[in-house]
Amino acid sequence: MLATDFKAMQRVQLGEAPQLLKVGESGDFKRGTLGERKESYRIETYGRVIAITRQVLISDDLDAFTRMPAMYGNSIAQLESDLV
């Protein structure tokens, strides 16, 4: 389900599969069940601002300005992983 606003959303999904059990010599399989669970989620806004002055652009001997998009991408991916 796609989140289109900041309201809390709920979604029902399958629970985990039952744990497999050893089958004896007679071949008797035991029954298991699949449950369901309700997940609740909502979108949030995250961000930071970094000041990039004229002096920073001119004195950028570490190539930080061109590396910044990739650094932000890694940071965003890590935040997404931590939250989910």
Side-chain angles (χ1 to χ4, degrees), residues 2 15 18 21 39 47 69 74:
L2 180 64
L21 302 174
E39 297 288 335
N74 289 335

Side-chain angles (χ1 to χ4, degrees), residues 22-59:
K22 184 176 180 179
V23 178
E25 188 176 335
S26 63
D28 293 330
F29 285 85
K30 294 193 168 62
R31 295 189 181 272
T33 60
L34 285 176
E36 61 182 42
R37 62 178 187 230
K38 183 167 63 169
E39 297 288 335
S40 178
Y41 63 96
R42 59 184 265 181
I43 59 174
E44 299 284 347
T45 302
Y46 292 83
R48 295 295 287 270
V49 175
I50 295 178
I52 300 174
T53 64
R54 181 175 175 268
Q55 288 81 3
V56 168
L57 288 174
I58 292 171
S59 303

Side-chain angles (χ1 to χ4, degrees), residues 46 73-84:
Y46 292 83
N74 289 335
S75 180
I76 291 165
Q78 185 63 50
L79 174 63
E80 183 180 28
S81 174
D82 292 346
L83 293 174
V84 175

